[in-house]
Amino acid sequence: MATAAQPKIPVVLHGIEGRYATALYTAASKKNVLDAVEAELTKIGTVIEKDAALQTFMETPIIDRSAKKEGVAKILANGRYSELTSNFFQVLAENGRLDQTRKVVASFKELMTAHRGEVKVVVTSAKELESRVQRQLQDILKNSNLLEKSQKLILTTKVDPNIIGGLVIEAGGKTIDLSVSSKVAKLERLLKEAI
């Protein structure tokens, strides 16, 4: 008997949240409902972020698993979620892993970002970058060797006055530190070594 091919996992994730997210990704991929599950997880994540009582319910180890399982069933019934998503949260409740929900949601989003061929690039500067500079930076990064030609750049900017000037670019686990503060720290270290 031939078995169905396993879906290709776009990125390997570690930790408990990585295992659960990967299992959900595999199941959703087999049923061809990745986008729907991602939308449902985003919705659930938003609900959890906005509701402090729900956060406490999900993350408190004092509440027993059967009560959590019942509570999750009620919450999911109100939101009209798919069978796959509902079953997934039942498994989290049974295994006492509801406290990992936010991390699992973030990990699933990471899998989906990789699945779509997107690469998140975070650029930190000392002050807000003008839109013209952001466009130039985006063009330079697209043509750099940080990305493969098939990948799509998702640029996010942050402001951190502590870097004094320059930029810090983070992409795909790589960091390029072109900040003034790192150059000053390096110079300071060299001067101390010389003395």
Side-chain angles (χ1 to χ4, degrees):
M1 185 188 325
T3 58
Q6 278 290 96
K8 185 178 183 316
I9 307 301
V11 65
V12 177
L13 300 177
H14 301 283
I16 292 169
E17 67 275 6
R19 278 188 246 135
Y20 279 99
T22 301
L24 180 59
Y25 177 90
T26 302
S29 182
K30 285 180 181 177
K31 292 188 175 198
N32 202 24
V33 292
L34 284 169
D35 293 330
V37 169
E38 181 182 27
E40 290 176 344
L41 287 181
T42 300
K43 183 178 173 184
I44 291 168
T46 302
V47 168
I48 292 170
E49 287 296 321
K50 290 182 179 178
D51 189 340
L54 182 57
Q55 278 181 29
T56 302
F57 172 77
M58 302 277 273
E59 295 175 1
T60 300
I62 298 170
I63 302 170
D64 72 327
R65 291 180 184 184
S66 60
K68 281 192 176 187
K69 195 171 175 185
E70 286 177 30
V72 165
K74 287 178 186 174
I75 292 164
L76 294 174
N78 293 337
R80 295 188 186 110
Y81 295 99
S82 68
E83 181 182 4
L84 181 62
T85 301
S86 296
N87 289 344
F88 179 72
F89 277 92
Q90 289 300 315
V91 168
L92 285 177
E94 284 175 17
N95 294 342
R97 298 293 187 197
L98 283 174
D99 61 328
Q100 299 293 313
T101 298
R102 289 193 271 182
K103 290 179 183 178
V104 171
V105 169
S107 294
F108 190 85
K109 286 181 179 182
E110 187 177 338
L111 283 166
M112 289 302 293
T113 298
H115 169 76
R116 288 187 290 268
E118 299 170 347
V119 175
K120 290 185 179 181
V121 177
V122 179
V123 176
T124 306
S125 58
K127 64 179 186 173
E128 191 71 37
L129 296 176
E130 297 175 11
S131 59
R132 178 184 58 80
V133 174
Q134 283 187 31
R135 284 192 302 276
Q136 287 176 333
L137 188 58
Q138 192 158 6
D139 290 340
I140 291 168
L141 290 170
K142 280 182 186 176
N143 296 321
S144 73
N145 61 0
L146 281 176
L147 305 174
E148 295 175 16
K149 296 297 177 202
S150 62
Q151 293 178 316
K152 180 181 176 189
L153 175 75
I154 306 295
L155 183 67
T156 306
T157 59
K158 290 189 332 188
V159 175
D160 181 4
N162 293 325
I163 70 168
I164 303 172
L167 301 170
V168 177
I169 302 168
E170 299 169 78
K174 300 174 187 171
T175 301
I176 301 169
D177 190 347
L178 305 170
S179 67
V180 173
S181 64
S182 71
K183 292 182 187 331
V184 169
K186 183 178 179 181
L187 184 60
E188 187 177 304
R189 189 180 70 245
L190 288 172
L191 285 171
K192 285 181 181 178
E193 288 175 3
I195 296 177

